[in-house]
């Protein structure tokens, strides 16, 4: 009898272990998405519903939650390449490194482990395919700016599906020499390149390995911001859906899919709150696609969401015990497109723009005066910048990591943050904790406090990768 009990217990334990093994793994990384980016987005959504409180994002409602530290091997504040490498390999490295350790030796990534274990592998992003975070999963280079060399590492990894905006330096090496285009090189080893969603749909059935980028003529550095999106623009949710479709066709032994919401970081570098919150929502929409897949395979699917670091030092409150996030909904486009609109008006008028014309533009794009009343101080901030830029012709563009902005657009951004009662401590990264959320097979591994290097190790454990 006792022996029978042991046999039954062994079978039950074995069944539990099997049930917790993740055949399908989704690894979402919100670049620059700290705890306040998530909390702020949920309160922004709550105020749109006409109430105080939060309207939960799907991923922030997952049953397992934790938080992670993000420091690199060389500094308490990491860059995206060192953080991406930590999230991909489970090892700390120096700022600027892609998939290599502090001695510049190649590190094995969790994606490479998944491929070795027989899984299909996808690496996707809303920025360029050769950008720091996606690159850290397939490339091994000493410098994140070696875009051409990073792209040449892509076919060496032999992953099944890549997607993003495009490639930054397809014909130019790190030492600025002209080189053969990466596209025929990649196609020559069996990859099909699709430009846009329609092209992908036409080619996917016959393709063995796929790279999905934007249509010809689109900006290869990134997808459009969600707040700026036009009909027909490629989205992160569409990329996620395409990846699932491609990775599950044919011999289905499971997959590993990394999805980066890369432009949360860009918006926070610009201290552009409405754009940042809309990017968090946009990544949540991509998570919803994964969640629909999870509901069909709940015992075999793991979804993990985290960030590489926080960007901007976002403060939810800047003095009074108040937030007015609903005002951010009056902003019609990103700071980058507002800057372009101001530049276009400057050119159209030969720099002879009146204050009334500028007020009309700001009312249309930001809701100032028309929908949002301004204080005397706020209007003075805008008027003073107008005087400098358009009367005195002292135009000093504000520069952040990913944007060069008309000074009046930068002033408008400061005003909208003031109105919403938000603050920013930085135009760069911070050392704040980042959130970790999980659901599905092996998700309990992601509870509590951890370091970013723990996350890929726990994914490998949940997926049974060696």
């Amino acid at each position: 009898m006792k022996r029978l009990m042991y046999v039954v217990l062994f079978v039950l334990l074995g069944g539990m272990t099997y049930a917790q093994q993740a055949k399908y793994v989704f690894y979402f990384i919100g670049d620059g998405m700290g705890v306040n980016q998530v909390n702020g987005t949920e309160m922004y959504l709550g105020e749109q519903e006409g109430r105080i409180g939060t309207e939960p994002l799907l991923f922030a409602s997952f049953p397992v939650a934790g938080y992670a530290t993000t420091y690199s091997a060389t500094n308490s504040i990491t860059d995206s390449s060192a953080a991406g490498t930590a999230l991909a390999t489970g090892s700390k490295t120096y700022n600027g490194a892609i998939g290599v350790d502090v001695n510049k030796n190649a590190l094995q990534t969790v994606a490479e482990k998944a491929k070795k274990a027989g899984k299909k592998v996808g690496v996707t992003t809303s920025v360029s395919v050769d950008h720091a975070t996606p690159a850290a999963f397939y490339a091994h280079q000493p410098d994140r700016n070696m875009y051409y060399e990073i792209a040449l590492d892509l076919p060496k990894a032999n992953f099944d599906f890549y997607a993003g905006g495009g490639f930054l330096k397809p014909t130019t090496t790190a030492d600025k020499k002209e080189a053969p285009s990466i596209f025929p090189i990649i196609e020559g080893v069996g990859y099909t390149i699709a430009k846009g969603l329609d092209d992908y749909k036409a080619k996917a059935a016959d393709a063995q390995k796929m790279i999905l980028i934007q249509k010809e003529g689109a900006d290869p550095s990134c997808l459009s911001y969600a707040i700026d999106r036009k009909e027909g623009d490629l989205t992160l949710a569409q990329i996620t859906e395409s990846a699932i479709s491609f990775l599950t066709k044919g011999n289905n032994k499971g997959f590993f899919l990394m999805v980066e919401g890369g432009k949360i970081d860009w918006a926070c570098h610009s201290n552009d709150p409405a754009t940042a919150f809309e990017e968090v929502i946009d990544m949540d929409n991509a998570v919803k696609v994964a969640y629909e897949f999870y509901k069909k395979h709940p015992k075999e699917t793991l979804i993990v969401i985290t960030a590489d670091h926080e960007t901007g030092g976002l403060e939810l409150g800047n003095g009074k015990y108040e937030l007015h996030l609903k005002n951010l909904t009056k902003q019609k486009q990103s700071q980058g497109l507002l800057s372009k609109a101001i530049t276009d008006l400057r050119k159209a008028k030969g720099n002879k723009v009146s204050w009334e014309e500028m007020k009309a533009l700001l009312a249309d794009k930001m809701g100032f005066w028309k929908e949002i009343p301004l204080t005397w101080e706020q209007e003075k901030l805008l008027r003073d910048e107008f005087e400098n830029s358009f009367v005195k012709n002292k135009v000093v563009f504000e520069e952040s990591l990913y944007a060069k902005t008309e000074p009046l657009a930068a002033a408008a951004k400061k005003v909208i943050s003031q109105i919403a009662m938000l603050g920013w401590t930085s135009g760069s990264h911070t050392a704040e904790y980042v959130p970790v959320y999980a659901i599905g097979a092996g998700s309990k591994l992601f509870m509590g406090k951890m370091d970013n290097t723990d996350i890929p190790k726990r994914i490998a454990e949940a997926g049974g990768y060696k």
Side-chain angles (χ1 to χ4, degrees):
M1 184 67 184
K2 186 179 287 186
R3 183 180 178 186
L4 179 61
M5 288 175 65
Y6 281 129
V7 171
V8 172
L9 182 61
F10 178 82
V11 171
L12 287 172
L13 288 173
M16 286 173 65
T17 302
Y18 175 78
Q20 289 185 350
Q21 183 134 313
K23 181 178 179 180
Y24 308 105
V25 173
F26 294 91
Y27 193 1
F28 285 87
I29 299 172
D31 198 316
M33 186 183 74
V35 173
N36 277 358
Q37 277 78 1
V38 176
N39 191 22
T41 301
E42 293 189 320
M43 289 192 288
Y44 167 71
L45 289 169
E47 288 197 25
Q48 289 180 51
E49 295 292 321
R51 57 186 175 76
I52 302 302
T54 60
E55 179 64 28
L57 295 159
L58 173 65
F59 69 75
S61 307
F62 283 175
V64 174
Y67 59 103
T69 48
T70 64
Y71 58 90
S72 73
T74 52
N75 205 288
S76 295
I77 295 180
T78 188
D79 81 327
S80 290
S81 52
T85 299
L87 290 172
T89 70
S91 296
K92 297 287 186 185
T93 192
Y94 59 91
N95 287 352
I98 294 290
V100 297
D101 64 17
V102 291
N103 297 312
K104 301 183 180 179
N105 298 312
L107 293 162
Q108 188 177 35
T109 73
V110 66
E112 290 168 333
K113 288 180 180 179
K115 187 67 177 174
K116 187 178 176 183
K119 310 297 182 183
K120 290 187 178 180
V121 174
V123 173
T124 68
T125 180
S126 61
V127 294
S128 64
V129 181
D130 50 11
H131 214 259
T133 303
F137 283 80
Y138 67 82
H140 306 278
Q141 295 294 339
D143 190 326
R144 63 179 291 177
N145 296 311
M146 299 173 70
Y147 297 112
Y148 183 82
E149 293 76 8
I150 286 168
L152 291 180
D153 277 352
L154 181 152
K156 294 176 187 176
N158 197 33
F159 296 163
D160 303 273
F161 186 90
Y162 297 90
F167 293 85
L168 292 177
K169 302 284 184 182
T171 60
T172 309
T173 63
D175 55 3
K176 299 182 180 178
K177 293 179 180 176
E178 283 299 306
S181 170
I182 61 166
F183 294 113
I185 294 172
I186 291 171
E187 287 175 317
V189 293
Y191 283 90
T192 299
I193 298 174
K195 296 184 177 180
L197 196 61
D198 290 341
D199 196 29
Y200 164 77
K201 290 176 180 177
K203 294 176 175 177
D206 297 325
Q208 298 301 308
K209 295 178 287 187
M210 174 65 73
I211 297 175
L212 168 59
I213 57 177
Q214 295 189 102
K215 295 176 184 176
E216 198 75 51
D219 182 0
S221 70
C222 59
L223 309 187
S224 298
Y225 278 124
I227 200 171
D228 298 332
R229 187 172 294 144
K230 304 183 298 296
E231 188 175 347
D233 287 348
L234 187 62
T235 72
L236 194 62
Q238 289 171 339
I239 283 175
T240 306
E241 188 173 15
S242 301
I244 293 169
S245 174
F246 195 83
L247 296 174
T248 52
K249 74 171 188 170
N251 186 13
N252 185 7
K253 294 182 180 179
F255 62 72
F256 169 92
L257 175 61
M258 191 285 288
V259 182
E260 183 202 19
K263 294 191 77 175
I264 302 167
D265 174 67
W266 294 26
C268 290
H269 273 292
S270 295
N271 293 169
D272 185 352
T275 303
F277 292 157
E278 291 295 335
E279 286 302 298
V280 175
I281 294 166
D282 195 58
M283 192 179 84
D284 194 51
N285 289 334
V287 174
K288 287 175 182 176
V289 175
Y291 186 69
E292 288 303 310
F293 181 89
Y294 160 81
K295 288 195 295 185
K296 296 173 185 174
H297 310 275
K299 294 181 180 179
E300 299 178 295
T301 305
L302 170 65
I303 306 176
V304 178
I305 294 95
T306 191
D308 51 357
H309 51 73
E310 193 275 346
T311 302
L314 175 61
E315 299 172 335
L316 301 175
N318 63 2
K320 294 181 180 180
Y321 295 169
E322 295 178 22
L323 278 175
H324 300 289
L325 302 180
K326 191 174 181 180
N327 287 310
L328 297 176
T329 63
K330 309 305 180 186
Q331 181 176 327
K332 299 298 189 294
Q333 55 189 199
S334 68
Q335 180 191 324
L337 282 195
L338 174 62
S339 178
K340 183 179 183 303
I342 292 171
T343 298
D344 289 347
L345 182 61
R346 182 194 297 279
K347 289 178 180 176
K349 296 286 184 177
N351 212 44
K352 295 180 180 179
V353 179
S354 71
W355 174 236
E356 290 307 314
E357 288 171 322
M358 186 54 64
K359 281 184 73 173
L361 187 150
L362 292 173
D364 178 52
K365 305 296 185 184
M366 301 295 291
F368 295 163
W369 300 289
K370 184 168 65 174
E371 297 176 277
I372 306 172
L374 302 188
T375 65
W376 181 87
E377 291 83 3
Q378 288 163 349
E379 181 159 346
K380 183 177 186 301
L381 192 157
L382 295 171
R383 183 65 185 259
D384 286 351
E385 196 52 70
F386 172 82
E387 291 287 329
N388 279 328
S389 294
F390 288 90
V391 179
K392 299 176 183 176
N393 290 322
K394 294 180 180 178
V395 184
V396 180
F397 276 64
E398 180 184 270
E399 293 193 42
S400 65
L401 187 58
Y402 298 108
K404 190 176 179 183
T405 306
E406 279 270 4
L408 193 53
K413 166 202 68 181
K414 290 173 186 173
V415 168
I416 197 69
S417 285
Q418 284 179 13
I419 291 166
M421 307 298 285
L422 294 171
W424 300 87
T425 66
S426 173
S428 189
H429 302 174
T430 72
E432 294 179 14
Y433 290 125
V434 296
V436 182
Y437 305 98
I439 191 171
S443 59
K444 289 183 180 179
L445 292 167
F446 301 90
M447 297 178 74
K449 182 183 178 183
M450 66 200 81
D451 185 63
N452 57 6
T453 55
D454 295 321
I455 298 171
K457 294 173 185 174
R458 295 177 189 187
I459 287 175
E461 181 181 346
Y465 313 150
K466 303 298 182 185

